[in-house]
Amino acid sequence: MTPEPTTEPSADGIAEALSYAACHGIIVRSRDGQTLTHAPFTYWPSRIPRACYTEAIRLTTALNLLVRAIARDRAFLRRVLVGTAAADASFTGRLLALAEAQPHREDDHDLTICRFDYFVQEKQLRMVEMNTIAASFACLGAKTAAMHRHLATHPASSADYAAQGATTDHLPSPELPSPPVALARAIAVAHESHLRAYASHIGGTPVATVMVVQPGERNAFDQDALRHTLWTNHKVHMKRLSLHEIDVQASVDGSGHLILGETHISVVYLRAGYTPTDYPSESEWRARALLEKSNASVCPTAAVQLAGTKKVQQVLDQPHELEHFIQDGRLAAAIRATFARQYSLNESDGGGEHARLGIEDANNFVLKPQREGGGNNLYSDEMRIALLKMSAEERSAFVLMERIRPAVVDNALVRDGKYAMAGVVSELGVYGALVVAGGDVVLNEAAGTLLRSKSALQDDGGVAAGVAVLDSACLVE
Ligand code: ADP
Ligand code: MG
C-alpha cells in the first residue's frame, strides 16, 4: 500500500497533455453547460499487474454470456428481485414488470454492451460491479490511452514518463481492440442482422439506429465519438433522442417494427434510463415499454438492465448461483475468484444478522442500493447510521459488500488545466459486446479496456460524478 516515490510533472509535459486533450477531443461540457473543458485525466498511466489485466480480458466473453443467461431466466430475476422490487417499486419494480411482460424479448435478436469493473487488491482482481446499461467512456478512455502513448515518447514528457517507469513497453498494445471501434462494430453487426431478418418488410424505407440520451448530457462527446465511429467505419446513422422524444415521435407498427417518422429503427442503444431521475414522468416509462414491445435490438432490454443490478451480483456470490449459469467449472471458478463477499439484507436471507456485520465493522463494508452512476453507495459511519435507522423492508433495497482495498499509487490528477498530486486507486473496466441474430450468438468479444482513477481519500464516485478521472493502464509484472 506504500505509494511509489514520484516526481512531479514538468510544465512542458502538462502543456503537451492539455494540447493533446484539446486537439483529440478529450472534452466534456462544463458544469454550467455553457462552455467546453477537457475531461479530467491522470498525467501518467497507473500501474496494473499485467496478469490481472490479461485475466480480466480473458473472462469477458464468459461474463457476456452470463449476463445474457441471467437476463433470459425470468424466473431467476423474479426470485432474486421480488423483495427489492417491493422495496424500490417505482424503479426496480417497474423494470421487473417490463421484463416480465416480454418473457422472450432477448431470444432471437439481442445486442448487449457491458463493462465489467475491477479493483486490484494484493495482485488479485476484485470485481466492483457489472454494468449492463450505459457503460460510458469507451471513446474518451481510448483517447486518454492514446494521449499517454503520445506522452511516453514526446520530448516534452518522456523524461517524466521514464522517471515513473511508464515507457511504451508498459502500455497495452494499440492493436488490442479499441473500445469505440469494437463497440461500433457490435452495433453495426446488430444493425445488419436486423436488416437481413426484415429485408422484405423494410424494402426501400430509410433505416437508422438511435442513441437514447439524457437531455443536457455533459458527456455528449464520448457518446458522439461512438456515433462518428459508427458512421466512419460502417456508414450506419445513429440519431440522438431522449426517452421523452421517443415517446412523442416513435411508434411500433402491427408487425413490431419501430418507426420514427419515415424511418425504420434497427438498433436502440441506451445511454440514459439507468437512474430514476431519467423518468420524470410517465412519458419516459411509456418509451421504455414501446422499446420492449418493438423488434429493434434494444441495448439493453429491461431484463438485461436488471441482470446488472447490485442485487443480482450479490446473489451470484452465493454458493452454486454462478455455477448454475456457467457450466464450465474452471471458468466459473476463475470468475468466482474475482468476487468480493456480498450479503443479502432481505429479512428472509439473514438480513438482520448481515446488517449487524455492517454496523459493527463499518469500515470494512459498503452499502449499495440498486442505483447506477456513482455517488449512491454508503460507507463507514454514514452506512452504520443508515443501517441502524432502516426498517427491515427498507434494508432489502440494498446489499452489503465487503470493502475492497486496492493498492494506492501516486499520480498527478489534471483538472481544469492544473494538476494536483494524489495517492490514487484505479478501477479497471473491460467492455464486453455480444450480438445475437436469429437465436445464434454471432459476436461475443472483449471490446477493450478503460481505467479510471480517483484519490484514495474518496470512497465513491465516477468520472461523471466529478470524483474519478480518466486514466490508462501501465502494465507491470
Ligand atoms: P455505480 O453503479 O454507482 O458505479 P459501483 O458499484 O461501481 O456503483 O460503486 C461506485 C464506486 O464505489 C466504485 O467506482 C468504487 O470506487 C466504489 N466501490 C464500490 N464497491 C466497492 C467495494 N466493494 N469496495 C470499495 N469501493 C467500492
Ligand atoms: Mg461503477
Side-chain angles (χ1 to χ4, degrees):
M1 299 281 280
T2 333
E4 306 285 324
T6 308
T7 51
E8 302 219 351
S10 61
D12 282 357
I14 290 288
E16 186 67 14
L18 291 168
S19 158
Y20 190 99
C23 291
H24 293 81
I26 306 178
I27 296 289
V28 289
R29 261 191 252 287
S30 60
R31 291 211 171 267
D32 63 12
Q34 300 302 305
T35 52
L36 306 182
T37 181
H38 73 87
F41 57 81
T42 60
Y43 178 64
W44 285 282
S46 292
R47 292 178 189 80
I48 293 288
R50 191 183 293 272
C52 292
Y53 186 85
T54 311
E55 178 69 353
I57 292 171
R58 182 180 80 90
L59 298 177
T60 302
T61 50
L63 289 168
N64 289 338
L65 292 171
L66 171 67
V67 167
R68 172 165 171 76
I70 294 170
R72 292 178 74 201
D73 191 341
R74 297 294 199 268
F76 174 86
L77 287 180
R78 162 137 290 269
R79 165 167 70 84
V80 166
L81 291 170
V82 69
T84 315
D88 181 31
S90 61
F91 189 65
T92 308
R94 292 199 73 159
L95 288 169
L96 186 60
L98 284 177
E100 293 195 302
Q102 306 286 341
H104 300 289
R105 182 63 180 84
E106 296 77 23
D107 289 4
D108 278 354
H109 291 274
D110 197 21
L111 166 66
T112 305
I113 292 175
C114 296
R115 203 189 59 225
F116 304 100
D117 288 341
Y118 307 85
F119 278 136
V120 177
Q121 174 177 298
E122 289 161 8
K123 303 210 167 157
Q124 298 289 327
L125 284 173
R126 283 279 169 273
M127 192 185 280
V128 175
E129 66 156 343
M130 310 195 288
N131 298 283
T132 60
I133 180 165
S136 58
F137 293 116
C139 298
L140 296 195
K143 290 173 179 187
T144 303
M147 176 182 73
H148 286 156
R149 269 197 297 276
H150 172 82
L151 295 175
T153 56
H154 193 274
S157 42
S158 56
D160 293 347
Y161 268 55
Q164 277 278 29
T167 56
T168 43
D169 303 347
H170 298 93
L171 303 184
S173 143
E175 296 93 67
L176 272 174
S178 144
V181 170
L183 298 187
R185 184 168 59 229
I187 293 168
V189 168
H191 168 79
E192 282 149 20
S193 322
H194 182 99
L195 292 189
R196 269 197 302 278
Y198 300 108
S200 59
H201 175 92
I202 294 170
T205 312
V207 185
T209 65
V210 166
M211 181 186 286
V212 180
V213 296
Q214 296 175 333
E217 170 69 72
R218 287 186 60 214
N219 193 26
F221 307 110
D222 179 57
Q223 301 172 340
D224 282 349
L226 183 63
R227 290 194 310 108
H228 299 164
T229 307
L230 188 60
W231 181 253
T232 307
N233 291 2
H234 305 282
K235 290 294 171 285
V236 174
H237 176 34
M238 185 171 254
K239 295 167 179 270
R240 292 176 67 92
L241 287 175
S242 67
L243 281 172
H244 177 65
E245 286 167 329
I246 289 180
D247 177 42
V248 173
Q249 299 173 25
S251 59
V252 170
D253 73 12
S255 320
H257 303 294
L258 184 64
I259 309 294
L260 186 81
E262 302 297 306
T263 306
H264 177 109
I265 303 299
S266 56
V267 172
V268 181
Y269 168 55
L270 278 81
R271 292 290 292 263
Y274 54 85
T275 168
T277 53
D278 287 344
Y279 302 85
S281 73
E282 281 304 305
S283 168
E284 290 75 18
W285 286 111
R286 274 198 302 274
R288 279 306 288 270
L290 189 80
L291 298 180
E292 289 291 307
K293 209 169 71 169
S294 78
N295 63 21
S297 282
V298 175
C299 174
T301 61
V304 172
Q305 180 171 349
L306 288 169
T309 48
K310 308 293 189 280
K311 183 65 194 176
V312 164
Q313 296 173 51
Q314 176 262 309
V315 168
L316 289 177
D317 183 48
Q318 307 314 304
H320 313 302
E321 297 282 3
L322 174 71
E323 292 71 13
H324 169 72
F325 293 108
I326 299 185
Q327 275 77 38
D328 179 332
R330 283 165 62 176
L331 210 45
I335 291 173
R336 190 172 274 289
T338 71
F339 287 177
R341 291 291 74 76
Q342 299 205 43
Y343 301 88
S344 171
L345 293 173
N346 290 18
E347 201 56 14
S348 54
D349 307 324
E353 204 180 306
H354 297 151
R356 259 198 310 284
L357 279 178
I359 290 165
E360 285 165 12
D361 192 11
N363 286 333
N364 286 317
F365 290 94
V366 179
L367 184 64
K368 296 186 163 190
Q370 311 309 308
R371 295 289 178 267
E372 304 291 328
N376 300 300
N377 301 337
L378 296 178
Y379 302 79
S380 309
D381 273 354
E382 219 187 336
M383 173 182 81
R384 193 170 49 76
I385 293 161
L387 280 173
L388 283 167
K389 270 205 233 146
M390 278 180 208
S391 69
E393 203 205 342
E394 284 168 338
R395 249 181 2 223
S396 52
F398 295 80
V399 299
L400 190 71
M401 183 171 182
E402 172 196 347
R403 178 147 191 178
I404 308 165
R405 300 280 178 190
V408 179
V409 295
D410 274 3
N411 209 324
L413 307 184
V414 185
R415 283 196 174 91
D416 299 323
K418 298 185 200 69
Y419 78 87
M421 297 302 296
V424 305
V425 296
S426 303
E427 194 171 328
L428 173 68
V430 185
Y431 295 93
L434 182 104
V435 181
V436 171
D440 296 325
V441 173
V442 295
L443 181 149
N444 179 15
E445 59 185 27
T449 63
L450 169 74
L451 203 72
R452 291 166 302 159
S453 296
K454 62 174 187 181
S455 157
L457 304 175
Q458 297 274 357
D459 287 329
D460 202 322
V463 178
V467 175
V469 307
L470 297 166
D471 197 344
S472 77
C474 173
L475 300 180
V476 292
E477 299 316 321

